[in-house]
Amino acid sequence: KFRAMPLALLVSFFTGTPFLSARRRKVRKRKKELAQLIKDVTPEIIIWDHIRSTSYFILNPCFNILLEHNDEVSIYKEKVNQYSPLYKLLLRLQVGLLQEMERKMQQKMQRVVFLTEADRQNAFVSNAIFLSYPVTHFEVVNDKPVMKKDTIKLLFVGRLDWYPNGQGIKWFIQEVLPLLPAAFELMIVGRNPNKELLN
């Protein structure tokens, strides 16, 4: 992706905004549309779904909530070693820009909500909270085993060209799927899977 968008990288460093923000096309148009939508709908609350959505943030009279998940900075740091020395340097600079964007955006919000304890380590503001939500645990109980004739379908939906999704489903296929009975069937829905995942 980085090799494919040199202009976006140039814009990123010129404007001091991270790649994930600078690479978005028609940002000004989208912001204008969003401003009109807020004016027409007059919502009381706007929920911004993690830092990427704040590329379109505009000042507004609403109560703004940022849901922080998919720790983007850590993802960028992980990706550094996947590139040549030049791109490693560019990616390290991107990490700094992204951290600054996170800090600024969190300060513009009336509330920042972190979905995991790990994500909460990236809090730059005092109004941040941790949302503890129940996690559903799945297990096959001994007194009701899965019958061979039964099929239990698992569905994964997510952009497969987005690094955490691709890595996550790859891990699931390699580490979890072999442990499940043959009755389990995994279906994957998502755009742009790489050759490894297709195989």
Side-chain angles (χ1 to χ4, degrees):
K1 278 190 172 182
F2 288 91
R3 280 188 279 270
M5 300 183 179
L7 181 58
L9 280 173
L10 186 62
V11 170
S12 168
F13 294 118
F14 181 73
T15 60
T17 57
F19 178 80
L20 63 84
S21 176
R23 72 182 176 83
R24 292 174 182 258
R25 296 176 181 176
K26 303 179 182 177
V27 171
R28 288 183 183 175
K29 181 182 177 185
R30 296 268 172 92
K31 284 186 174 184
K32 188 176 179 181
E33 291 170 350
L34 182 59
Q36 186 61 49
L37 184 63
I38 291 171
K39 184 179 178 182
D40 293 343
V41 177
T42 61
E44 294 180 23
I45 299 172
I46 299 177
I47 299 176
W48 302 87
D49 180 30
H50 83 358
I51 197 67
R52 286 176 173 257
S53 70
T54 62
S55 298
Y56 304 114
F57 180 84
I58 55 168
L59 292 175
N60 62 77
C62 309
F63 189 90
N64 293 273
I65 300 173
L66 173 62
L67 292 181
E68 278 279 35
H69 61 95
N70 282 7
D71 181 2
E72 302 277 351
V73 171
S74 294
I75 291 168
Y76 272 48
K77 286 179 179 177
E78 265 187 59
K79 290 175 74 174
V80 166
N81 292 325
Q82 297 180 8
Y83 292 91
S84 64
L86 173 61
Y87 286 98
K88 283 182 183 179
L89 174 62
L90 294 176
L91 202 52
R92 287 190 186 104
L93 293 171
Q94 285 295 316
V95 169
L97 291 173
L98 186 55
Q99 284 178 316
E100 181 61 17
M101 178 181 174
E102 280 192 334
R103 185 186 66 78
K104 287 179 179 178
M105 285 302 161
Q106 287 184 21
Q107 290 174 344
K108 291 179 179 179
M109 301 290 159
Q110 281 69 49
R111 181 74 74 235
V112 180
V113 179
F114 292 91
L115 301 185
T116 68
E117 287 285 2
D119 290 340
R120 186 161 60 170
Q121 296 175 5
N122 297 321
F124 292 97
V125 289
S126 59
N127 67 348
I129 62 172
F130 171 61
L131 180 64
S132 179
Y133 58 94
V135 177
T136 301
H137 296 279
F138 181 85
E139 61 183 23
V140 179
V141 293
N142 293 329
D143 60 343
K144 191 176 180 183
V146 177
M147 304 303 291
K148 288 184 179 179
K149 64 180 181 180
D150 295 335
T151 300
I152 297 178
K153 295 184 177 181
L154 306 175
L155 174 64
F156 175 89
V157 181
R159 281 177 44 197
L160 298 174
D161 55 359
W162 173 227
Y163 174 72
N165 290 347
Q167 292 295 314
I169 196 60
K170 177 183 172 185
W171 172 85
F172 185 85
I173 291 169
Q174 292 174 343
E175 304 295 330
V176 179
L177 205 53
L179 303 177
L180 299 177
F184 285 82
E185 181 180 294
L186 174 63
M187 292 172 285
I188 302 172
V189 177
R191 74 181 188 195
N192 298 333
N194 60 29
K195 290 181 180 178
E196 181 185 14
L197 190 53
L198 283 173
N199 290 337

